[in-house]
Amino acid sequence: MVHSEADARPQGRPMIDRMAGDAGQKVLLFLTALVFFATLSLFSANLRDLAPEGEPGSVVPNDFSAFWAAGRLGLAEPLAVLDEARLSAVQNWGPDAKDPYFPFAYPPGWLVAVIPFGALPFAIAWPLFVLVGLAAFGAALWPSLPGMVAERRALMLAALSPPLLFFVLLAGQTTLIWLALLLVAATALLSQKALLAGAVVGLLAIKPQLCPMVAAAFLGYALSHVQARMAVPAAALSVLGVCLLPVLHTGWAYWPAWLGAAGTMAEQIALAANAWDTMLSWYPALRVAGLGHEAALSAQAAVSLSLAAGVAWLWWLKDVTASLRLAGLLLAIPLAAPSAWYYEGIAFALAAVFLAAARYDSTMGRRLHVILVWALPGYLVPLGTVLALPLVTAPMASLLFIGVLREAALRRSTA
């Protein structure tokens, strides 16, 4: 990708200059080591306490357990992964678990993807899945970062050290893989590799609830960049392939069964007050604040439409740096999804990294705002019963998104 970040540097000494210095890199390296040491410690403790394979307690009660159990069932009985009794029997958490199971509410493409992990013992599959996600994330992130080697190294460390990453790695969620695909697609699009961008972006359909803002970005960019317009039909074909090819294994019946399961889960989330505390967007924030389902959903829809318009405009502009575009998109993705969970908050932290790369933080207020978006969600996750996460993340990330749009307008006017 060709970067021109230096062409639009605001006044003041930005964080990236401090981050890229020897002292800044040492601090970031320490923070990264802290996150990974804590993660390894918890991994070791969980794996050490597992019961023998096949016995109650032989699976850690986390999000990955749903993928692993689905992979075990999905090879021979794809529809069984949507059956609560069948899936919980495979997860086999043991009698002391607080919840019966984690559901698998993913389209057929992701079911096919996790089948190889289901063939492995859980104690091997879980860390392997996390390592695959980390490797994919790192490999996709490095080419998308601007600047000299020292700056890119500092930004990379910043992306690998937000406190929230600890919880994401322990959960074993798809977040890092999904963000890796997004970065590859966006980097290809901004490098005028339209067909590659479209082909990769279709893979994001494994989490369709996070895709609307990506579609807005691609459409906005294609409208003002003729050379990128082939990305749109390429993306449509890619999505079609991701939706249809896995059906060769799962059968057509999986789609209506999955849609029914996803609808049931959405209804359960709307009523589950204990779940709202660990979400990110305006819908759970408004529910926690006492608003009813219909009113909160209408407000979320209005916010999502506004975010889509903002993202499309940001990517439509011709004189905006890649980092500023990516920051705006990453902020909008969790904000636009009514049921975005805490682990999607890594997108906020990554947005803060790209804002540092874009030299957005030219004032103390901006600098503090960026740091809080990067750090605060990770500290709030364990405090969900004291302070609901969306009451902080929804307004905080929304204000930063507005700041990104304002910054894009100001840089455009002075370009």
Side-chain angles (χ1 to χ4, degrees):
M1 186 194 303
V2 177
H3 295 280
S4 58
E5 310 294 342
D7 297 338
R9 295 184 182 182
Q11 298 298 314
R13 188 186 179 194
M15 278 194 303
I16 185 60
D17 291 346
R18 296 182 175 89
M19 292 165 61
D22 289 340
Q25 291 200 46
K26 287 179 181 177
V27 170
L28 289 170
L29 185 59
F30 171 77
L31 293 175
T32 303
L34 191 63
V35 168
F36 282 89
F37 175 77
T39 303
L40 285 173
S41 298
L42 263 292
F43 258 80
S44 300
N46 277 289
L47 293 175
R48 185 177 59 248
D49 295 339
L50 285 180
E53 181 75 11
E55 296 184 10
S58 61
V59 177
V60 175
N62 63 5
D63 291 83
F64 177 73
S65 68
F67 304 155
W68 178 81
R72 292 224 149 178
L73 286 173
L75 181 60
E77 303 177 85
L79 287 177
V81 306
L82 303 175
D83 185 298
E84 176 179 343
R86 299 291 303 278
L87 197 67
S88 61
V90 177
Q91 289 177 3
N92 203 12
W93 291 351
D96 297 330
K98 295 180 180 178
D99 299 308
Y101 84 123
F102 273 134
F104 184 86
Y106 285 79
W110 186 242
L111 173 59
V112 172
V114 298
I115 285 176
F117 293 96
L120 300 170
F122 183 88
I124 297 174
W126 177 33
L128 178 61
F129 180 82
V130 172
L131 287 174
V132 168
L134 273 173
F137 182 66
L141 179 59
W142 181 259
S144 70
L145 296 172
M148 304 297 288
V149 173
E151 294 177 339
R152 297 173 78 185
R153 187 186 300 120
L155 292 167
M156 187 76 152
L157 289 171
L160 293 174
S161 58
L164 186 61
L165 185 62
F166 166 75
F167 296 100
V168 172
L169 294 176
L170 287 180
Q173 253 293 336
T174 59
T175 310
L176 295 181
I177 294 174
W178 195 90
L179 287 174
L181 292 171
L182 174 63
L183 290 172
V184 170
T187 301
L189 184 69
L190 296 170
S191 301
Q192 317 310 325
K193 300 174 183 176
L195 293 178
L196 175 61
V200 175
V201 82
L203 300 176
L204 297 177
I206 60 173
K207 297 198 85 166
Q209 70 272 27
L210 300 182
C211 291
M213 297 301 105
V214 182
F218 266 59
L219 289 171
Y221 193 81
L223 284 174
S224 61
H225 297 77
V226 176
Q227 67 275 24
R229 288 180 183 171
M230 285 304 297
V232 176
L237 288 174
S238 180
V239 170
L240 193 63
V242 169
C243 291
L244 295 182
L245 289 178
V247 171
L248 296 175
H249 171 70
T250 64
W252 289 103
Y254 187 93
W255 271 111
W258 171 73
L259 289 171
T264 300
M265 183 177 295
E267 293 175 1
Q268 291 173 345
I269 291 172
L271 299 173
N274 61 330
W276 304 331
D277 292 342
T278 53
M279 293 181 177
L280 301 169
S281 60
W282 281 101
Y283 174 82
L286 293 172
R287 293 307 305 273
V288 170
L291 210 61
H293 169 66
E294 295 296 336
L297 199 60
S298 297
Q300 177 66 61
V303 169
S304 299
L305 288 173
S306 301
L307 288 166
V311 167
W313 176 78
L314 180 64
W315 282 68
W316 171 80
L317 294 175
K318 289 188 175 182
D319 47 7
V320 174
T321 62
S323 293
L324 205 59
R325 295 183 199 274
L326 284 167
L329 175 59
L330 288 162
L331 288 168
I333 287 170
L335 285 173
S339 59
W341 296 87
Y342 69 92
Y343 39 77
E344 263 97 46
I346 285 294
F348 292 154
L350 192 54
V353 170
F354 280 111
L355 286 176
R359 291 166 165 80
Y360 168 85
D361 53 315
S362 58
T363 66
M364 182 60 72
R366 285 186 171 190
R367 188 173 299 118
L368 180 61
H369 199 168
V370 170
I371 292 173
L372 287 176
V373 166
W374 177 86
L376 199 54
Y379 292 110
L380 291 178
V381 166
L383 299 176
T385 56
V386 179
L387 177 62
L389 184 62
L391 291 177
V392 176
T393 54
M396 183 174 66
S398 297
L399 288 173
L400 191 56
F401 180 78
I402 293 170
V404 169
L405 297 186
R406 182 174 180 273
E407 181 71 7
L410 291 174
R411 293 190 186 189
R412 185 189 186 201
S413 66
T414 57

